[in-house]
Amino acid sequence: MTTATFAKGLEGIVASETEMSYIDGEQGVLEYVGISIGDLAKHSTFEETVFLLWNKRLPSKSELAHFEEELQKRYELPSGMEQRICSLPKTAEPMHVIRTMVSALAMHDPSPNDNDVESARAKALNILGYAPTIVAYFDRYRRGLELVHPDKSLTFSENFLYMLNGEKPTPAMAKAFDLCMITHADHGLNNSTFAARVIISTLSDVYSAITGAVGSLRGPLHGGANEGVMKMLNEIDSVADVENYVTQKLAKKDRIMGFGHRVYKAKDPRATDLQKLAKQLAEDTGKADLYAKSHKIEEIMEREVASKGIYPNVDFYSATTYHCIGLELDLFTPMFALSRIAGWSGHIIEQLSDNRLFRPKAQYVGPHDAPYTPMSER
Ligand code: SDX
């Protein structure tokens, strides 16, 4: 019997193959199907990026138009879902709402358990189209506002901001949000993607796999970090207070949210793209102090812990970006989820195309040959 090596947290273990994201953690490189994230952020759209991830190539003009149209058809929720959302406690956490409503979508699908690749793609498109509407409907309902129904003539990003705010976004805001969607879409075998692959590997259904992934993403060590970054920025009164705040936290071995990564030991290239956006948006929206605090934190962390390979990750500057776009703090991680549905779905399709049930081992470290002590003697 081969003695397997124990890798806590599966650190360094290759558990899947993928044709979607290539990550070089030492060099700080991220490519989607070979195209650098910087080029995609500059030239692509979220819809085009999703097509790329799911089809492993860029679409032709007519293919993209068709894909956009198919997605727009899925902005409107199945009947009955609106009532479900508007019966939830208004104090519910949006990530719990997404997890619950994605799970509920299975009950509105006539064949929820079909998981041949074509059915999986169709369900993935449904969830990708419905999810922004779920978030926007819940947010307006909890604020006591009229729901704004989707506008199928708008892009994914334009439509989400329209449903959320009740007015069409400026081209700059729509573009900023779209860049966030592009940069968060996929990232190899991160925890939530692994969760999705583990669940679908039992040949369970797409809704269960995406529901499990949402549950993983909300954790503060993963997608929940962007909300933690914003809470940190709110705790620091001014740039002058950053030095003390950061050094005291580090002295207590506290984690600075938005920094560090299991794979990147250089600056996350997505942080670089989002940093430029955060700087521009902060200046445009009169929140330059927010960016200044973020940049000062990065300077201090560079001096204190860069030597340990701790740099900003995707969550650090996405917080300032989402805040300047006008999103509520507890909608930050839901934004990560909206985008990552693309990556989770791509991995679900890859897993179904070449499946092997995930079943690692646990190393037993308990006792042996223990007696069964009768209750009278315990
Ligand atoms: C995402 O996997 C992905 O790809 C995820 C993601 C994606 O796109 O899906 O990129 C998105 O989840 C980004 C990460 C968001 N999380 C955070 O920002 C939370 C704060 N970061 C950390 O908790 C931590 O960096 C992790 C969880 C992200 C990674 O941690 P590891 O690989 O388990 O590293 P570790 O906990 O073993 O830490 C190694 C050392 C420790 O110091 P020592 O005990 O060796 O002295 O680095 C220190 C840690 O204390 N450290 C930090 C730190 N992160 C690690 N110290 C201060 N602040 C931090 N943020």
Side-chain angles (χ1 to χ4, degrees):
M1 182 179 80
T2 53
T3 47
T5 52
F6 173 35
K8 201 168 183 181
L10 295 181
E11 184 148 12
I13 298 294
V14 177
S16 294
E17 289 183 334
T18 181
E19 296 175 70
M20 290 186 288
S21 283
Y22 167 71
I23 305 167
D24 179 333
E26 297 303 321
Q27 301 301 316
V29 171
L30 171 61
E31 296 168 349
Y32 288 170
V33 196
I35 303 174
S36 79
I37 193 66
D39 279 352
L40 290 165
K42 203 180 299 172
H43 304 298
S44 190
T45 64
F46 180 57
E47 288 88 337
E48 184 179 73
T49 299
V50 177
F51 186 101
L52 170 68
L53 289 169
W54 290 2
N55 297 284
K56 314 297 193 273
R57 63 177 176 81
L58 288 170
S60 67
K61 192 167 182 197
S62 60
E63 285 173 325
L64 180 57
H66 177 67
F67 184 75
E68 287 166 346
E69 196 184 327
E70 284 305 303
L71 186 58
Q72 287 160 344
K73 287 178 191 167
R74 291 158 175 83
Y75 288 171
E76 194 63 77
L77 294 176
S79 67
M81 282 296 293
E82 186 177 317
Q83 289 78 349
R84 271 186 212 285
I85 293 166
C86 296
S87 67
L88 293 169
K90 293 187 176 181
T91 53
E93 178 191 308
M95 279 301 280
H96 290 312
V97 170
I98 298 178
R99 190 198 61 232
T100 307
M101 289 301 126
V102 165
S103 189
L105 283 173
M107 289 165 261
H108 294 268
D109 182 330
S111 53
N113 303 323
D114 289 355
N115 53 24
D116 55 281
V117 171
E118 276 324 298
S119 299
R121 289 173 77 99
K123 295 174 195 316
L125 195 62
N126 288 345
I127 296 169
L128 190 69
Y130 296 150
T133 310
I134 289 169
V135 175
Y137 279 10
F138 176 70
D139 185 57
R140 293 201 53 103
Y141 153 71
R142 72 172 175 175
R143 288 189 282 152
L145 300 172
E146 281 293 303
L147 301 190
V148 175
H149 290 272
D151 179 339
K152 294 180 183 171
S153 69
L154 300 178
T155 66
F156 180 95
S157 296
E158 290 166 344
N159 178 55
F160 174 68
L161 293 175
Y162 166 64
M163 292 190 293
L164 196 69
N165 300 322
E167 59 186 18
K168 294 184 183 166
T170 63
M173 281 300 180
K175 173 75 185 143
F177 188 81
D178 210 55
L179 195 153
C180 292
M181 293 298 105
I182 292 167
T183 51
H184 285 79
D186 186 55
H187 205 248
L189 208 55
N190 57 84
N191 189 285
S192 54
T193 296
F194 184 54
R197 278 194 177 245
V198 165
I199 293 168
I200 205 74
S201 78
T202 68
L203 298 186
S204 182
D205 64 287
V206 173
Y207 298 97
S208 297
I210 301 281
T211 299
V214 174
S216 153
L217 188 74
R218 68 169 297 279
L221 293 187
H222 187 11
N226 56 22
E227 294 184 14
V229 172
M230 196 66 227
K231 286 173 187 155
M232 170 174 66
L233 291 169
N234 289 335
E235 282 171 8
I236 302 173
D237 290 335
S238 73
V239 177
D241 301 309
V242 167
E243 173 89 34
N244 259 349
Y245 182 95
V246 172
T247 48
Q248 281 171 15
K249 271 207 172 269
L250 291 176
K252 287 188 293 180
K253 297 291 280 175
D254 284 356
R255 300 299 172 95
I256 304 292
M257 292 292 109
F259 283 83
H261 201 278
R262 177 61 61 79
V263 177
Y264 287 122
K265 301 310 167 194
K267 188 167 178 177
D268 185 330
R270 300 167 294 176
T272 305
D273 290 319
L274 290 164
Q275 178 173 6
K276 290 176 206 149
L277 185 60
K279 185 172 192 299
Q280 188 59 55
L281 281 179
E283 284 163 6
D284 295 351
T285 57
K287 299 183 174 79
D289 64 312
L290 195 62
Y291 176 77
K293 283 192 277 187
S294 303
H295 191 51
K296 187 69 178 171
I297 291 169
E298 184 178 3
E299 266 178 26
I300 310 270
M301 288 293 279
E302 167 96 25
R303 184 191 73 209
E304 296 291 325
V305 291
S307 57
K308 291 170 71 176
I310 300 169
Y311 290 88
N313 58 48
V314 68
D315 291 300
F316 187 60
Y317 286 106
S318 63
T320 299
T321 303
Y322 287 142
H323 179 74
C324 294
I325 288 174
L327 293 164
E328 288 293 320
L329 193 151
D330 66 1
L331 291 183
F332 287 15
T333 307
M335 297 307 100
F336 197 148
L338 294 189
S339 169
R340 191 51 61 86
I341 290 168
W344 294 330
S345 303
H347 280 268
I348 284 167
I349 292 162
E350 285 189 341
Q351 187 68 33
L352 287 170
S353 306
D354 179 15
N355 188 38
R356 176 114 179 104
L357 176 75
F358 277 100
R359 203 295 184 200
K361 286 184 172 180
Q363 192 159 285
Y364 180 70
V365 292
H368 286 287
D369 306 325
Y372 179 79
T373 311
M375 186 59 79
S376 58
E377 295 171 22
R378 290 180 208 163

